[in-house]
Amino acid sequence: MRPGEVWQELRGSDDVRRGVRVHVAVLVLGLAVLGLAAAFVQVKGISGDNLSREPQVVLDGKLWVGALSNLGPLVWMAGATFAAIGWMTTSDRQEQRMFGVATVLGAALLIDDFFLFHDWVGYHSKLLERGIVVGYLVGMVGLLVLFWRTMGSLSSAGILVTLGLLALSVALDELFNSLDQLFEDGAKFLGICTWTTIWVLRARPWALRASGDAGGTQTLDVVADPYLSPEHVRGSG
């Protein structure tokens, strides 16, 4: 495509103009984040390396240091992303509410795990740290209580397994801290994987249906998926 044709498309297409506005908004947001980082560096009187460079580089550490810990936020991110996809594509109101709560909870856990928020709080107040951790577990219990009819047995079982593994991780941290850290973090990692798998499978049929609708077809009346009944998938088709 020639430069002139690109310019004509940019000027003539509403979809393209909306896309350009989104790109500009994201760049503005990115600049705002960089501005906050620069302000933080000035206030603290520290080098920008402390924010912008990788811990392995700053601390002259090994490549594999913290590898399992780094995987956790990536898996949390996948779970939050698929829950958001489900929220955007489902045609069922109750499913949408459930996906919305899962997205917010998953995003909170992602941010906490990525920035080690509750660990940082723990340096100042162990009681507050425990309160935050319990709050996350209560949030998952609340999700299960509010939407257990919508979830069905398989999703509900997945939430229970997630709760069990995360609770085991907390118990190992509090009561058996002399054990190798891999036990505590391993239980937590398995819990994160279980949580994410729920939302990947749960969002799949809705995403497939939305993809089919966008392509002008309505062939996905029933999707062979263990999480949704045929009535759910037919939705408003």
Side-chain angles (χ1 to χ4, degrees), residues 57-185:
V57 175
V58 175
L59 301 175
D60 195 25
K62 305 293 185 182
L63 180 65
W64 41 263
V65 172
L68 185 60
S69 177
N70 291 336
L71 281 176
L74 289 176
V75 184
W76 280 128
M77 184 182 297
T81 299
F82 275 91
I85 289 171
W87 177 76
M88 290 186 291
T89 57
T90 182
S91 59
D92 183 271
R93 283 291 181 86
Q94 193 68 358
E95 286 268 340
Q96 190 175 51
R97 294 188 188 97
M98 178 192 68
F99 278 124
V101 173
T103 300
V104 171
L105 184 56
L109 286 159
L110 159 64
I111 293 170
D112 186 308
D113 206 15
F114 188 83
F115 292 104
L116 304 175
F117 176 72
H118 76 270
D119 296 275
W120 174 78
V121 169
Y123 287 116
H124 304 279
S125 171
K126 273 293 181 183
L127 183 62
L128 185 55
E129 179 190 16
R130 293 189 181 104
I132 292 172
V133 172
V134 170
Y136 290 138
L137 296 177
V138 170
M140 288 189 180
V141 172
L143 178 68
L144 181 60
V145 170
L146 287 173
F147 300 105
W148 67 273
R149 290 183 182 276
T150 304
M151 285 184 178
S153 58
L154 194 53
S155 294
S156 298
I159 295 289
L160 290 173
V161 171
T162 301
L163 281 166
L165 288 166
L166 294 181
L168 174 61
S169 176
V170 173
L172 289 172
D173 181 36
E174 293 289 336
L175 304 176
F176 303 96
N177 215 8
S178 59
L179 291 174
D180 192 293
Q181 186 72 20
L182 188 60
F183 288 98
E184 175 196 336
D185 288 340

Side-chain angles (χ1 to χ4, degrees), residues 27-42:
L27 287 174
V28 170
L29 180 61
L31 286 171
V33 171
L34 291 176
L36 288 172
F40 182 83
V41 166
Q42 290 297 319

